[in-house]
Amino acid sequence: CAVKLTTMSYPSCIILFLTLLLLFLALFPGAFSCCMKISDEISKGILRRVEKFEIQKAGGLCYLEAVILHMKGRKFCVNPWNRKVEKMMKKMKHKIHRSKSHVRKQRRARRTKQKEQKH
């Protein structure tokens, strides 16, 4: 708004700037959640407390490949090629898969028991 202050007032410039900022944030929600640095080392204690993880690909707005570890309101960006991290991801995927199939089996057994009791 430094171009012509005579045609556009200062409050209008602020409103325009905020509108453009909100538009940018709506179009690119991940713009400010990229890992800018990654850690090569991660302690076993942190890995044990991981609740979920995300894989950040290089490209677009994020320029680093990383694994984002989430735990109780905290995030850690780590090297995706770290062996400890790779093992943790395999274990978590296996646990999630196993627990989901286990829940399905329990539901199926519960439904059959309910049907048997009705008859």
Side-chain angles (χ1 to χ4, degrees):
C1 291
V3 179
K4 274 194 172 182
L5 285 175
T6 55
T7 58
M8 192 178 270
S9 67
Y10 185 72
S12 298
C13 290
I14 292 173
I15 292 170
L16 177 65
F17 173 75
L18 291 175
T19 305
L20 291 173
L21 180 65
L22 289 173
L23 179 65
F24 175 79
L25 291 174
L27 292 175
F28 304 105
F32 298 107
S33 63
C34 293
C35 293
M36 298 301 170
K37 293 180 187 177
I38 58 172
S39 174
D40 288 320
E41 291 299 318
I42 191 88
S43 73
K44 288 181 182 178
I46 290 175
L47 289 175
R48 277 189 228 116
R49 291 182 282 147
V50 171
E51 296 169 351
K52 68 177 185 173
F53 67 90
E54 293 176 64
I55 298 173
Q56 174 181 298
K57 302 280 185 188
L61 297 170
C62 304
Y63 67 92
L64 282 176
E65 283 191 19
V67 175
I68 305 169
L69 306 176
H70 297 265
M71 65 193 80
K72 294 197 180 185
R74 296 179 72 188
K75 292 182 188 179
F76 289 94
C77 298
V78 294
N79 186 337
W81 308 114
N82 181 311
R83 285 187 181 178
K84 290 180 198 175
V85 174
E86 288 177 338
K87 282 183 182 180
M88 182 271 315
M89 290 191 301
K90 284 180 185 176
K91 283 182 182 179
M92 285 189 77
K93 283 183 182 178
H94 182 67
K95 282 182 184 177
I96 291 168
H97 176 70
R98 187 174 57 189
S99 66
K100 283 184 179 177
S101 64
H102 180 66
V103 170
R104 279 191 213 123
K105 287 177 187 174
Q106 283 181 337
R107 270 195 223 135
R108 197 176 312 129
R110 203 178 306 137
R111 285 182 190 152
T112 29
K113 283 181 185 178
Q114 288 173 350
K115 284 181 183 178
E116 289 172 3
Q117 289 174 353
K118 286 182 181 179
H119 293 5

